[in-house]
Amino acid sequence: MSNLQDRRSDDRSNAPENAALLVLEDVSRTYRSGPAEVRALDCVSLTIREGEFVSIMGQSGSGKSTLMNVLGCLDRPTAGRYRVAGRDAGGLEADELAALRRETFGFVFQRYNLLSNVSAAENVEVPAIYAGTPPPARRSRANTLLATLGLGDRTHHRPNELSGGQQQRVSIARALMNDPAVVLADEPTGALDSRSSEEVMALLKELHAAGRTVIVITHDPEVAAFAPRRIALRDGRVISDEGSGIAVRPHRPDAAEDGGTVGVAQRLSEAVKTALRSLRANVFRTALTLLGVVIGVAAVVTMLAIGEGSQRDVLSRIEEMGSDLLFVRPGAPGTRTRGDAVATLTVGDAEALAGLDNVLASVPEREGRATLRANGTDYATSITGTNADYPTARSRDVSEGTFFQASDLASYSTVAVLGRTVADNLFPNGGAIGNYVLISGVPFTIIGLLEERGASSFGQDQDDVVLVPITTGFVRLFGRSYLSSLTVRVADTATIAQTESEIVSSLIARHGTEDFQVRNTASLLETVQGTQRTFTILLGSVAAVSLIVGGIGVMNIMLVSVSERTREIGVRMATGARRSDIMLQFSTEALVVGCLGGVIGVLAGVGTALGAARLGTTIALTPEPAILAFCCAVVTGLVFGYLPARQAARMDPVRALATE
């Protein structure tokens, strides 16, 4: 067992031998059970020196377990004073007590208290994790300790693959991991057969011989007899204290290193590893936990993709109705005009407006009605004279043939473009292009057919129209050279108000007075913007509900996990875990659930959206909804994981260890 004699301070020879290490002065510990008060310890005064081998014996209810908890800084005395190496433990905060346990004590439990989902070596490493020991160093030390204790070939085995004696040896190796000054063994042979019990006690004797202070809590007189100093308890009081168990050279280990700044990243890394192990340990429960987050995230991604696609589709339809158009009508503001009652707009006005910034097209229009005749059929319809920019301004091209060009306007060509309704009535068997149609007795050549539009929002048939060059219309059809209206299409709707002001200024300068009216599509644009806001609020609300439901699921499962792993939490606290370590561990588990659920949910949402697209639904996949949904999943995991993590961090280590 010479290998168990770990690193010693260089100045050991200068330190006083057998100094008082653990000192209890009139320590009492009482518990409340309803109106009754139970006194587990009653004015116990006791001094244990460095290098002693002490057994504390007593029957059930004698107070020996309570005394062990107080000695190991797992519990606080109700009255009296307890000092560890001269340091008053009664005034220490929870994390300071954790540091004291981590640096001074190594616990050997009756039921081993090994973590079931990790290997023997990883169980041994636990105290070193909270001491901030780098992974390579702690792995090397764990393997060395296990090899020294005869378990070199069992380092990768889990507890359920080890015998009781082997598990207790792993527990002893864990107690020695941080090279503690004191080894506290609680009923170390209580769950072992006689042979294994002798081996464990022999190990404890060797630890004492190496200079460590060893305290054994037992009810068995034979086990107590192994210790040179024997203390007996009854009813919370010391009834006897016999013998002396001072080692020749007491063991004074180097101070345990704290994680410090470097330890933050290491602690986070260990928390992530622990979280993944915990999630793997119960795959079904993990799947249920993830399901709520996955559904919430997938719903957000899918709904926003479909909503964005539908929104774009609606906006494109609204734009076709003229959300980027300005209409100039004749007549002073505030007056109502009908037909050709007012003649204030000219083709020159249209040409002047076409030169303004942000104007994509400026189209003069003169409207009238006429009777068409072709193939012996008469048909009355609307006639519109316009220029070659009409398809650009109205976002309406020809489906067959061509539209008239600037040269047709300059040469006063008698050409016409028919709407589908007119063409079907005059040429029911097709073949309209290239034929002639008489408009008010004037023959026009049909050069194209307009795209079908169907009925407008007011019920008007938008295909019941004939377009002719406006110059030809003035000469052959309308008789007077003035316009019914001007239609202006802007390039950027964001500055449509400024463009409208420029149009007004330009026309006033040309006319010398405001004898016209400009109407925009502000109400239509407001409707579009309102629709966008409604979509956003609706989808955001549904997404929030979905994620909240998923978050509640995470919190419920995490609370169950905390309840099931209470003993594990107690073991981690006993081996030196701070409250922040426990908080970090369970918060990280919730964070991992949020991240995994977010990733899977995004993939599921994209897949669902693509499936909807194959069924004919309009979608628009953009990275922003996926990023937003993932971030929300992460935040949801953190927010709803806080309460379970806080509950775990505030547990009493004594009660946690006593949990079945």
Side-chain angles (χ1 to χ4, degrees), residues 161-178:
E161 299 170 334
L162 303 174
S163 67
Q166 290 172 332
Q167 290 186 57
Q168 192 63 291
R169 286 172 180 264
V170 173
S171 178
I172 292 173
R174 180 180 63 192
L176 298 176
M177 186 64 194
N178 285 347

Side-chain angles (χ1 to χ4, degrees), residues 12-30:
R12 172 174 296 182
S13 59
N14 298 325
E17 299 290 343
N18 309 127
L21 181 60
L22 310 178
V23 179
L24 293 90
E25 299 175 356
D26 295 325
V27 167
S28 297
R29 182 66 172 99
T30 58

Side-chain angles (χ1 to χ4, degrees), residues 306-316 531-532 535-536 539:
I306 295 175
E308 181 69 17
S310 301
Q311 185 172 320
R312 291 184 183 182
D313 189 37
V314 170
L315 291 176
S316 67
T531 302
Q532 289 177 316
F535 268 120
T536 303
L539 295 175

Side-chain angles (χ1 to χ4, degrees), residues 150-376:
L151 297 175
D153 59 343
R154 291 285 189 268
T155 56
H156 298 295
H157 287 64
R158 294 192 176 187
N160 60 0
E161 299 170 334
L162 303 174
S163 67
Q166 290 172 332
Q167 290 186 57
Q168 192 63 291
R169 286 172 180 264
V170 173
S171 178
I172 292 173
R174 180 180 63 192
L176 298 176
M177 186 64 194
N178 285 347
D179 195 19
V182 181
V183 175
L184 271 170
D186 180 21
E187 298 282 6
T189 64
L192 301 178
D193 56 37
S194 57
R195 179 179 176 182
S196 297
S197 298
E198 291 177 359
E199 292 176 353
V200 168
M201 293 308 300
L203 283 174
L204 294 176
K205 289 183 69 175
E206 291 183 37
L207 292 175
H208 172 244
R212 282 188 174 81
T213 303
V214 179
I215 302 173
V216 176
I217 310 298
T218 183
H219 70 282
D220 188 345
E222 294 184 5
V223 172
F226 276 86
R229 181 182 175 188
R230 298 168 297 281
I231 299 172
L233 292 182
R234 181 185 298 166
D235 298 329
R237 294 186 177 186
V238 175
I239 59 172
S240 66
D241 186 350
E242 302 174 350
S244 177
I246 302 295
V248 176
R249 295 180 63 84
H251 181 82
R252 295 192 182 94
D254 294 333
E257 298 178 359
D258 197 3
T261 304
V262 179
V264 173
Q266 182 177 315
R267 288 167 63 192
L268 182 58
S269 173
E270 292 298 333
V272 172
K273 292 179 183 178
T274 302
L276 293 175
R277 288 193 193 106
S278 176
L279 295 176
R280 285 200 306 268
N282 196 324
V283 177
F284 183 69
R285 185 177 66 194
T286 301
L288 291 178
T289 308
L290 290 173
L291 187 60
V293 179
V294 169
I295 291 175
V297 173
V300 171
V301 174
T302 303
M303 291 175 61
L304 288 180
I306 295 175
E308 181 69 17
S310 301
Q311 185 172 320
R312 291 184 183 182
D313 189 37
V314 170
L315 291 176
S316 67
R317 293 177 184 273
I318 292 177
E319 287 178 358
E320 289 177 359
M321 295 169 58
S323 64
D324 55 354
L325 298 180
L326 291 168
F327 301 100
V328 184
R329 305 291 185 187
T335 64
R336 299 182 65 182
T337 62
R338 288 187 59 190
D340 54 3
V342 179
T344 61
L345 298 177
T346 66
V347 173
D349 293 332
E351 294 171 350
L353 298 184
L356 296 177
D357 292 338
N358 197 38
V359 172
L360 196 60
S362 178
V363 178
E365 295 180 9
R366 175 63 188 273
E367 298 174 351
R369 291 193 65 83
T371 300
L372 282 62
R373 185 176 180 81
N375 296 327

Side-chain angles (χ1 to χ4, degrees), residues 31 102 161 169 190 341 348-349 356 433 468 478 482 515 530 591 637:
Y31 298 95
R102 185 168 60 245
E161 299 170 334
R169 286 172 180 264
D349 293 332
L356 296 177
I433 296 177
V468 299
F478 305 125
Y482 65 87
D515 56 356
L591 179 62

Side-chain angles (χ1 to χ4, degrees), residues 418-603:
L418 274 57
R420 178 59 65 180
T421 301
V422 177
D424 289 344
N425 278 280
L426 295 177
F427 302 93
N429 298 320
I433 296 177
N435 281 313
Y436 290 91
V437 60
L438 295 176
I439 304 177
S440 297
V442 180
F444 281 76
T445 303
I446 303 171
I447 63 172
L449 299 179
L450 287 171
E451 291 178 331
E452 288 189 67
R453 282 287 179 85
S456 69
S457 57
F458 303 103
Q460 181 182 0
D461 186 355
Q462 299 180 87
D463 299 317
D464 191 7
V465 68
V466 176
L467 303 182
V468 299
I470 193 166
T471 53
T472 307
F474 285 152
V475 174
R476 299 294 188 94
L477 302 176
F478 305 125
R480 298 175 64 185
S481 300
Y482 65 87
L483 306 179
S484 302
S485 66
L486 273 170
T487 301
V488 179
R489 184 177 183 185
V490 300
D492 183 7
T493 57
T495 58
I496 192 170
Q498 179 181 346
T499 304
E500 181 180 349
S501 298
E502 293 175 357
I503 289 173
V504 171
S505 299
S506 176
L507 291 178
I508 290 176
R510 287 178 57 83
H511 296 184
T513 184
E514 191 173 354
D515 56 356
F516 57 87
Q517 303 173 41
V518 181
R519 297 177 181 175
N520 60 32
T521 53
S523 60
L524 192 57
L525 290 174
E526 289 177 2
T527 301
V528 173
Q529 294 168 354
T531 302
Q532 289 177 316
R533 287 193 294 270
T534 301
F535 268 120
T536 303
I537 293 172
L538 175 62
L539 295 175
S541 299
V542 174
V545 170
S546 300
L547 287 172
I548 287 173
V549 171
I552 292 173
V554 171
M555 183 170 63
N556 287 338
I557 297 298
M558 289 300 299
L559 286 171
V560 172
S561 178
V562 169
S563 177
E564 290 181 350
R565 296 162 60 191
T566 300
R567 181 182 288 272
E568 174 192 336
I569 295 169
V571 172
R572 292 184 181 277
M573 287 182 168
T575 53
R578 312 164 186 83
R579 285 186 171 180
S580 59
D581 291 320
I582 303 299
M583 187 84 176
L584 178 63
Q585 177 183 330
F586 284 90
S587 295
T588 303
E589 289 187 21
L591 179 62
V592 169
V593 168
C595 290
L596 286 176
V599 171
I600 298 172
V602 167
L603 295 176

